[in-house]
Amino acid sequence: MTTVPELIGQVIDAAMRWAVDGSESEEPWLQGAVVAHDKKLQTISVDFGAGGAWAGDVWRGGLLLISYTDLRLVDEATFEVSFVNFKVDHVSVEGDFSLVYRSKGSPTERKYEVRWEEGRFTWPDGTYATRQLNQIRTVHLGHLPMHNTYSWKGVASGVNRHGYEYTSIVTAQLSFRRTCLVVGKVFPSSGKVESTMKGVSFIVDFGEGECDDDVKATINGEISTMQLDDNF
């Protein structure tokens, strides 16, 4: 659930570039999708159909429908995303997802306020988790798009697959590297999240920037190292 908003962000970024600049055959986040732009309705559809694994070997299926107020990166430009049978690694993704541009013309970064209301993940076995978040996503521009990095900070809450309520806050901003994402390392490469569930607080430390899935978890002062599952 920590990773999916950035994967959606990657598809949105790619779709907006496509709408402005035209076809990008090498854009990994649009591979396998039929992309269409309705200028009159100000919508972009990214349809992965029955699904498949492309960028980062992440399986995606279904449709993302992006409604925008402005294709230009101007302050307050809003992008609202609807999920139509959309799935990541066969996990259904739902909810009201929106981004509002907040950078005011910064030449080196693009900052968005991200909200996810009534977010829901449903696994093939019928179990589900919910998530709401209010976070800031920042795209740090590299010399080439492949060198971009992405950071997140803010809060989230919901109910996990076992029915337990949780809250989480990013205590050291989460960082994703595009060079990691496109080779299947879809977890944050650095950053920390502190969560509380059933009255217990725990901290997940994603490391110092490597493209790996190793994390350190601290629970009641006890530190353990674990490897995250590549499947959601």
Side-chain angles (χ1 to χ4, degrees), residues 66-140:
I66 305 163
S67 301
Y68 61 86
T69 60
D70 203 317
L71 278 176
R72 299 170 300 157
L73 293 176
V74 295
D75 203 41
E76 303 294 332
T78 300
F79 311 93
E80 296 184 349
V81 181
S82 300
F83 305 103
V84 182
N85 197 32
F86 183 71
K87 297 180 180 180
V88 177
D89 272 357
H90 304 281
V91 177
S92 176
V93 179
E94 302 172 82
D96 299 321
F97 192 95
S98 65
L99 302 91
V100 180
Y101 190 68
R102 299 293 192 193
S103 280
K104 296 184 179 179
S106 171
T108 60
E109 65 181 29
R110 298 170 181 168
K111 187 172 294 185
Y112 301 87
E113 180 182 352
V114 182
R115 292 182 181 273
W116 199 347
E117 300 291 338
E118 300 183 1
R120 181 181 173 113
F121 298 79
T122 304
W123 279 260
D125 64 2
T127 59
Y128 68 91
T130 66
R131 193 165 182 82
Q132 298 187 101
L133 62 80
N134 186 353
Q135 296 185 328
I136 297 295
R137 177 184 187 243
T138 304
V139 181
H140 306 274

Side-chain angles (χ1 to χ4, degrees), residues 49-50 57 73 80 86 88 139 157 164 167-168 227:
D57 284 334
L73 293 176
E80 296 184 349
F86 183 71
V88 177
V139 181
S157 62
Y164 299 129
T167 59
S168 64
Q227 190 173 53

Side-chain angles (χ1 to χ4, degrees), residues 168-189:
S168 64
I169 182 171
V170 177
T171 55
Q173 70 177 17
L174 300 177
S175 179
F176 294 82
R177 291 162 52 187
R178 186 174 171 90
T179 51
C180 300
L181 293 169
V182 297
V183 296
K185 303 300 183 181
V186 298
F187 304 110
S189 58

